[in-house]
Amino acid sequence: MRIPILSVKGGVGKSTLALLLARELSLMGGKVLLIDRDQVGFSSYLCGIEEKGLVASIVDGETHNYMTTLTMGQGSLTVLKFYGDGPRFKADLQQILSNRDIESTVKRLYSDIITRGKFDYVVLDNAALTFPTDEGVRLEMETYLQHFPSEPSLRLFVSDPSTQGINSTLNYIEFVNSYDITSGVHANVSGQVLAINMVPPGSNLELLLNALRDAMKRVKISLGVVIPFMDNLFQYSNDLEEMPLPPQIRDLARAISKGYQLGEIIK
């Protein structure tokens, strides 16, 4: 299963959620691949990858350690720094699109990784405001689906708890869903999750739950989750294994692994 993590803006805890979800799925016995498609590279950094990513390495004609595998309980977590090298992302992408040799090398090396791994879950940490037709997304997704054309995808959208943030996220979800129809993108979407993240202490939980229920009626959302703000997670910069875990993310991992009721809310 592919699990793209999506948000309309930065600062909503998207990369942290991606890391913790990937870790939990691994601890539950899954073989997980976490792909850092965000040019910031935060996911890769917390997993110990500080060298150039896959794309930057190929564009520069260099060899770098852009991947690591961690044993987690009965499972494993492989982290691939696909992009993650900051503002050079757009220039690197142009190099790929204008040079067939570079594009072929990216696809070949990525194909080797995904076909050798036989992963149960592929968690994708995306840049904010990503669309399925973006060239950087298309490059990875088309290559993956060439090898696994029937692989289902569970989209996970992350919002902050503000009314404006939730409404912007819903507009984004509607736009992404319309892209599937108008662009002919076939991502095999089997469901969509909406996570309201970093809810401050003292918030009116019932109001948030009502907002989440209304949101799930407005757009095609299969599962909702409300995750509290944790001081010790904010700007966390230590090892992944020591990263504190909101219990809602553990419950989310179990729901993804074991199944959930349509319209269920985790709180």
Side-chain angles (χ1 to χ4, degrees):
M1 174 182 286
R2 285 169 61 89
I3 309 174
I5 313 294
L6 302 156
S7 69
V8 74
K9 63 177 184 177
V12 298
K14 169 186 58 62
S15 293
T16 299
L17 198 159
L19 276 166
L20 289 173
L21 179 61
R23 187 185 71 178
E24 285 307 299
L25 289 169
S26 301
L27 288 170
M28 293 169 58
K31 193 171 184 182
V32 182
L33 172 64
L34 172 62
I35 301 177
D36 192 348
R37 278 197 320 205
D38 189 346
Q39 51 262 45
V40 176
F42 181 68
S43 301
S44 303
Y45 172 75
L46 283 190
C47 295
I49 304 174
E50 299 188 29
E51 299 183 43
K52 292 179 182 178
L54 171 68
V55 168
S57 298
I58 294 169
V59 169
D60 291 346
E62 299 172 354
T63 300
H64 289 277
N65 294 319
Y66 47 73
M67 190 168 69
T68 187
T69 298
L70 308 170
T71 300
M72 294 280 176
Q74 298 300 311
S76 64
L77 173 59
T78 298
V79 182
L80 169 63
K81 185 178 180 180
F82 200 87
Y83 297 122
D85 291 289
R88 63 173 289 170
F89 165 74
K90 290 185 178 179
D92 285 345
L93 194 54
Q94 283 299 337
Q95 287 275 358
I96 295 170
L97 298 176
S98 61
N99 188 317
R100 288 189 176 182
D101 289 339
I102 295 178
E103 182 176 2
S104 296
T105 302
V106 172
K107 290 181 175 180
R108 175 176 56 79
L109 291 179
Y110 179 55
S111 294
D112 288 345
I113 292 167
I114 58 177
T115 55
R116 185 175 66 242
K118 297 181 181 178
F119 298 102
D120 301 307
Y121 302 98
V122 179
V123 179
L124 301 118
D125 184 13
N126 292 285
L129 207 60
T130 291
F131 294 96
T133 50
D134 291 350
E135 291 294 350
V137 174
R138 181 192 60 78
L139 176 69
E140 181 278 324
M141 186 172 71
E142 287 187 353
T143 304
Y144 188 93
L145 293 178
Q146 282 176 0
H147 296 284
F148 308 103
S150 301
E151 187 82 0
S153 178
L154 180 69
R155 287 177 176 153
L156 200 165
F157 295 91
V158 186
S159 172
D160 65 33
S162 69
T163 300
Q164 180 181 1
I166 294 171
N167 286 334
S168 296
T169 301
L170 293 180
N171 291 335
Y172 174 50
I173 294 171
E174 289 178 333
F175 205 39
V176 169
N177 290 342
S178 71
Y179 261 46
D180 291 345
I181 299 170
T182 59
S183 67
V185 172
H186 301 292
N188 302 329
V189 179
S190 62
Q192 298 189 131
V193 180
L194 176 57
I196 299 179
N197 199 26
M198 302 172 65
V199 176
S203 297
N204 189 321
L205 182 58
E206 195 54 43
L207 282 179
L208 274 178
L209 290 173
N210 287 335
L212 184 53
R213 292 184 189 103
D214 290 341
M216 294 172 75
K217 292 176 183 176
R218 173 177 159 183
V219 295
K220 294 179 180 178
I221 298 296
S222 314
L223 176 67
V225 56
V226 177
I227 305 169
F229 177 84
M230 293 178 64
D231 283 329
N232 51 356
L233 262 183
F234 186 64
Q235 294 184 333
Y236 183 85
S237 59
N238 294 321
D239 293 340
L240 173 62
E241 293 183 14
E242 301 299 322
M243 204 169 187
L245 176 74
Q248 292 82 1
I249 296 181
R250 179 179 293 118
D251 292 342
L252 175 61
R254 288 173 179 163
I256 291 172
S257 174
K258 308 296 184 183
Y260 54 86
Q261 298 288 329
L262 189 63
E264 181 180 342
I265 293 178
I266 296 169
K267 57 184 178 179

